[in-house]
Amino acid sequence: ASSFIYVANDQKEADELKFESIRVIEGTVDKGFTSVKLIDKIPKGMKIVTDGAYYVYAQSKAGELEHEH
């Protein structure tokens, strides 16, 4: 299974946050933090989501389950 981090655009530059997932390789875990190695580059102007990442993940999965009638 692949591991991901989430990145978001800078709120000051846009009216709406745009989230993207970036693939990573997990490394050492220490005191609840996991080191990661990036597989893909982080797009310019994006910042790593460190607070609320689980909420972003849950919302992304909820969007995948929606369907049109």
Side-chain angles (χ1 to χ4, degrees), residues 1-5 23-39:
S2 296
S3 296
F4 296 89
I5 60 171
R23 290 187 316 145
V24 296
I25 299 170
E26 290 187 37
T28 306
V29 177
D30 183 33
K31 297 178 184 173
F33 292 93
T34 304
S35 66
V36 297
K37 181 177 180 179
L38 296 175
I39 296 172

Side-chain angles (χ1 to χ4, degrees), residues 4-55:
F4 296 89
I5 60 171
Y6 289 94
V7 295
N9 61 343
D10 189 345
Q11 286 181 295
K12 296 175 185 171
E13 296 177 8
D15 293 337
E16 187 175 300
L17 284 177
K18 178 184 175 189
F19 294 96
E20 292 184 29
S21 58
I22 304 290
R23 290 187 316 145
V24 296
I25 299 170
E26 290 187 37
T28 306
V29 177
D30 183 33
K31 297 178 184 173
F33 292 93
T34 304
S35 66
V36 297
K37 181 177 180 179
L38 296 175
I39 296 172
D40 304 315
K41 290 185 177 183
I42 295 177
K44 188 174 183 176
M46 301 293 259
K47 295 182 178 179
I48 296 172
V49 175
T50 56
D51 191 24
Y54 181 78
Y55 177 76

